[in-house]
Amino acid sequence: ASDWSSDVCSSDLMGDIYFFLIFFTAILGFIVSGILVFVNKTDTFTSRLLAGFLFFFSLFAMHYTLLTTDFFRMVPHLWKVFVWVSFLYMPISYVYVRSVLKQSFRFERWDFLLILPGILYFASLFPFYLQPASEKLANMDRMKLHPELIPMEPESILPNGTGYVLRVLLGVGCVTGQYYHLFQWKKKARGNIGQYEQNRNTYRWLFRFTSISAVFWIMVLLQFMFIKVLAGHSNFVIISTIIGTILFVCLYL
């Protein structure tokens, strides 16, 4: 799921700091997502959507922090197994924002199309999954020596860089869609001051929730564009954004 990380931390101390920061932040995300599902009894559809976003983003974070350890060297067959997670949390985020604004409590007819890129890309990695552990370890070594290859994802049978492009298009598309629904709702609400005042706090939450997602994707793009310049600091950029996103959602709630 963490296909944009540039390298494994060279400093053991920094690696430990990264690991514990994301590990405990991800645990917090799991706990809050559990509360939304099992404790909260109002607006269960939208609550479960938000819980799904938080759970999968926290799972993405947990997987990401394992890159700062030797975990995948010990169990190389898990390398890239959770790639589907990085295609899932943004569609859930989009459906959540749209559902709250429209006060709808079910998926719409074509929502399944949002998860097709993840399914197709996951399928494109099956030949890699069938490779022996030695090949996967060699792949990890190549990624460590040549971090510029990481966003190219040569493990897939698709052309290099396809997975990265699909993620960015999906992520940016979902964020753009969220802003679109927010602006459409505000435009309609201007004609009904009472409706706007009644739902102002919800609108502010959704706008900030969307904006923190936008920041995440901006950081992903910057890391890809300047991966060689950032060198050992690229992990810090993404890790900070991941931690900030989860903490923002949990603390705001």
Side-chain angles (χ1 to χ4, degrees):
S2 49
D3 300 293
W4 306 296
S5 62
S6 65
D7 56 1
V8 176
C9 299
S10 57
S11 166
D12 290 339
L13 176 60
M14 189 59 68
D16 290 341
I17 292 173
Y18 285 162
F19 178 83
F20 285 111
L21 280 175
I22 296 195
F23 181 83
F24 287 112
T25 303
I27 293 298
L28 176 63
F30 291 141
I31 292 173
V32 174
S33 65
I35 291 172
L36 288 170
V37 172
F38 299 109
V39 178
N40 182 51
K41 300 301 181 183
T42 60
D43 297 331
T44 53
F45 179 72
T46 53
S47 295
R48 287 173 180 174
L49 286 173
L50 182 57
F53 168 84
L54 198 53
F55 176 84
F56 287 116
F57 199 79
S58 297
L59 182 59
F60 166 78
M62 186 71 76
H63 187 78
Y64 198 103
T65 195
L66 290 175
L67 291 179
T68 66
T69 71
D70 291 328
F71 177 80
F72 290 110
R73 298 198 65 83
M74 294 185 289
V75 282
H77 287 299
L78 290 183
W79 179 247
K80 298 284 183 177
V81 167
F82 294 101
V83 68
W84 54 272
V85 175
S86 60
F87 286 92
L88 194 55
Y89 49 79
M90 282 312 301
I92 293 176
S93 172
Y94 167 76
V95 176
Y96 165 70
V97 170
R98 185 196 66 199
S99 298
V100 173
L101 291 172
K102 290 187 173 183
Q103 288 296 287
S104 61
F105 301 100
R106 59 173 60 91
F107 291 104
E108 293 187 0
R109 184 177 182 180
W110 301 108
D111 283 345
F112 75 93
L113 293 175
L114 293 170
I115 64 173
L116 278 183
I119 294 174
L120 294 173
Y121 193 73
F122 182 75
S124 77
L125 287 168
F126 267 97
F128 174 75
Y129 294 147
L130 298 177
Q131 290 181 0
S134 59
E135 289 292 329
K136 294 175 181 177
L137 289 170
N139 176 269
M140 294 179 206
D141 292 336
R142 285 194 297 272
M143 298 299 105
K144 185 176 180 180
L145 290 173
H146 304 285
E148 67 276 7
L149 293 177
I150 293 175
M152 295 297 102
E153 297 178 329
E155 304 91 347
S156 170
I157 61 175
L158 297 174
N160 286 353
T162 300
Y164 175 83
V165 172
L166 286 175
R167 284 186 196 85
V168 171
L169 289 177
L170 184 63
V172 173
C174 287
V175 168
T176 302
Q178 290 173 211
Y179 276 124
Y180 170 78
H181 287 296
L182 285 164
F183 292 142
Q184 286 293 104
W185 183 90
K186 189 172 184 179
K187 183 179 178 181
K188 292 179 181 178
R190 285 174 181 171
N192 188 336
I193 300 300
Q195 180 189 10
Y196 178 76
E197 289 298 325
Q198 184 179 357
N199 297 282
R200 180 170 55 183
N201 288 336
T202 300
Y203 175 83
R204 287 177 176 174
W205 149 247
L206 294 175
F207 186 85
R208 291 166 182 171
F209 174 73
T210 299
S211 297
I212 199 71
S213 297
V215 169
F216 172 76
W217 287 102
I218 290 172
M219 292 299 102
V220 169
L221 286 169
L222 288 176
Q223 185 198 30
F224 177 71
M225 293 169 60
F226 302 106
I227 190 168
K228 291 184 178 180
V229 176
L230 290 170
H233 300 290
S234 56
N235 253 346
F236 174 76
V237 172
I238 298 298
I239 284 173
S240 299
T241 312
I242 292 172
I243 292 173
T245 300
I246 297 174
L247 288 179
F248 169 79
V249 174
C250 293
L251 296 178
Y252 199 103
L253 291 175

